[in-house]
Amino acid sequence: MSILKLAVGIDIGGTKTKVGLVNEQGESLVRTFFRTKEYPDIDDFIARIIEAIGELKIQLGQESKLIGIGIGAPNASSKKGTIENAANLLWKGSVPLVEKLRAQIDLPIKIMNDASAAALGEMLFGNAKGMKDFLVITLGTGLGSGIVANGQLIEGHLGFAGELGHFDLTVGDGRFTGLGVAGGLEAYVSATGLKRTIMYLLSKYMDDSVFRNIAYNDLHGEDITAAAENGDPIAIKAFEYTGRILGYALANFAVFTQPEAIFLLGGLTGSGKWLFEPANKYMEKHLLEIYRGKIKLMRSGMHGKNAAIAGAASLIWVDQKAHDDRE
Amino acid sequence: MSILKLAVGIDIGGTKTKVGLVNEQGESLVRTFFRTKEYPDIDDFIARIIEAIGELKIQLGQESKLIGIGIGAPNASSKKGTIENAANLLWKGSVPLVEKLRAQIDLPIKIMNDASAAALGEMLFGNAKGMKDFLVITLGTGLGSGIVANGQLIEGHLGFAGELGHFDLTVGDGRFTGLGVAGGLEAYVSATGLKRTIMYLLSKYMDDSVFRNIAYNDLHGEDITAAAENGDPIAIKAFEYTGRILGYALANFAVFTQPEAIFLLGGLTGSGKWLFEPANKYMEKHLLEIYRGKIKLMRSGMHGKNAAIAGAASLIWVDQKAHDDRE
């Protein structure tokens, strides 16, 4: 019997760092996490990663061979192996994460923007199996994206392709980011964007709404979905507003790579039809005629499958599979 | 001595169809053209193409081997080998050009959107040699585009990627196309767009201008450049307006593929600094910080080199070079 091959998948987020051992089917057989901010020194963070991998191998309790380490992180450059000036991480400047990790462990190591890793995960393990042209859009605190075209993940000249959260529809005249500069799409279409839209609509309309009694910091995406289900007019308008902006943006995205499908991933997709229906309606309305009716807007197939860990591990599995195909 | 290898390059335009024999350096050694609209029957058009190739071989006057035929055309699907519903061509519906040509001549035949062919030409013969991530934007009657990422031309799910002329900044509230639907970027940034902008500025401002004595149909791009050189305030404002919209669009394009360079090709680029300076200024202004100062905005290297024919021929040469590299 051949030995079990596993890839390490690491998802570095502003709050948690998740580590898992992922098999060829994209299943996280064992996983753990720790708080990213407890390791303000990058060398301590690297040591904690090594430790976590060791713990997971013990927890797994069977013989296995690690084939590599894939890392998904914000502001990661796949080409330089670095994380650069990530707003939500404590390490500043350009952090040579791959180099530092390689000095500690002798395995193939790859790093990528977390949403790009999610796109590879979707291709290997999710709903994009067999597709060569698609987008994955992650809707969390912000909006991330991964672009696959011609069957390959688009990396960009310096490894920073696919920053669709910063696609700006407003000629610099829209909502601001936390840094005080004009924000892009993610200031509207994300968990945060939806909350901001509630505020905007409370300013614009005089409808009664449960949200007139809830402060901004107490607002949660699930509550907005629940309110829409209950007929709250501000919640319903907020999804229509968000879906319209998303749909219009998706129609513009289509002129680049003509994707076969666009997958939405992340907490906000839990709102289901409230988000998907207006997004699809306005996408179709604004699509160039040659694309109309030919782009599927779907929920990611990675929900409930530890998408972030599996996506990170797919950076390793995609090479392994290409290698296996050649043999 | 080895026999001279040549690729046939065919550029099908609304007015002219140009045919040339192109060597490995991208030079059109011999070329001819005929009027596209004289062949409303596609079979007659195919026969005329075959005839033109024969004429060119005689005109060349030396032994040579044709290695394939590359075709650039509007609304061409590289994947289906067709031209589909091209507004400026007489053949309606889906025209199986590659299939029909292959029935007459036993050579590799490829077809592609003309601007995508121009992008391949730029990579093989122009200023994009050695680059893996760049855009080519053709500014003629409309705005065409070709996207190269990861070293490959992006084709799209059904072969219609790279329609950046239809990128729409206006949420469907901008200038109309000839078909009465809301147009995209090309309604602003193209030879036609610049003329429309002159009309708009004559409506908006009361400045004196040579254009108050020239009818829309008598306006030409070169005259607008000449007027700007002479200090005409409407001409100067027109370039600022056009460059601002182009620069803003380019900043949005960057978030997709993070190109190393963006090349502009076509008659409108003859206006030089009048177009490039505001375009570059507003691109930099709107670029996400991680991209700032890292994207070259340049004129195509294919000017004066029969860019359309050479671009079409590059569809064949790109495969030949890949083949040679493997051997």
Side-chain angles (χ1 to χ4, degrees), chain A residues 150 152-153 155-163 166-171 248 252-253 255-258 260 291, chain B residues 150 152-153 155-163 167-171 248 252-253 255-258 260 288 291:
Chain A
N150 291 16
Q152 295 184 352
L153 192 82
E155 297 193 51
H157 175 48
L158 301 172
F160 290 116
E163 288 286 350
H166 298 283
F167 179 83
D168 180 14
L169 302 165
T170 67
V171 200
Y248 173 69
N252 268 309
F253 296 169
V255 304
F256 280 79
T257 56
Q258 194 190 20
E260 176 178 358
Y291 305 138
Chain B
N150 292 17
Q152 295 185 351
L153 192 82
E155 297 193 52
H157 175 50
L158 301 171
F160 290 116
E163 289 285 349
F167 179 82
D168 182 14
L169 302 165
T170 68
V171 200
Y248 173 69
N252 268 309
F253 296 169
V255 304
F256 279 81
T257 56
Q258 195 192 19
E260 175 178 359
L288 196 58
Y291 305 138

Side-chain angles (χ1 to χ4, degrees), chain A residues 153-195:
Chain A
L153 192 82
I154 301 302
E155 297 193 51
H157 175 48
L158 301 172
F160 290 116
E163 288 286 350
L164 302 186
H166 298 283
F167 179 83
D168 180 14
L169 302 165
T170 67
V171 200
D173 194 29
R175 293 179 182 174
F176 295 107
T177 70
L179 298 172
V181 299
L185 186 61
E186 72 177 2
Y188 298 85
V189 183
S190 64
T192 317
L194 182 62
K195 286 169 59 177

Side-chain angles (χ1 to χ4, degrees), chain A residues 84-106:
Chain A
E84 312 223 341
N85 303 303
N88 296 321
L89 299 178
L90 292 174
W91 319 305
K92 293 308 163 198
S94 176
V95 180
L97 197 73
V98 169
E99 187 188 313
K100 281 181 173 289
L101 198 52
R102 193 168 285 135
Q104 303 286 327
I105 193 166
D106 183 28

Side-chain angles (χ1 to χ4, degrees), chain A residues 3 24 131 248:
Chain A
I3 196 167
E24 192 172 357
M131 289 189 184
Y248 173 69

Side-chain angles (χ1 to χ4, degrees), chain A residues 287-301:
Chain A
L287 273 177
L288 197 58
E289 206 216 327
I290 51 172
Y291 305 138
R292 212 167 276 162
K294 293 174 185 154
I295 299 176
K296 304 179 199 86
L297 180 63
M298 296 169 69
R299 199 174 185 200
S300 164

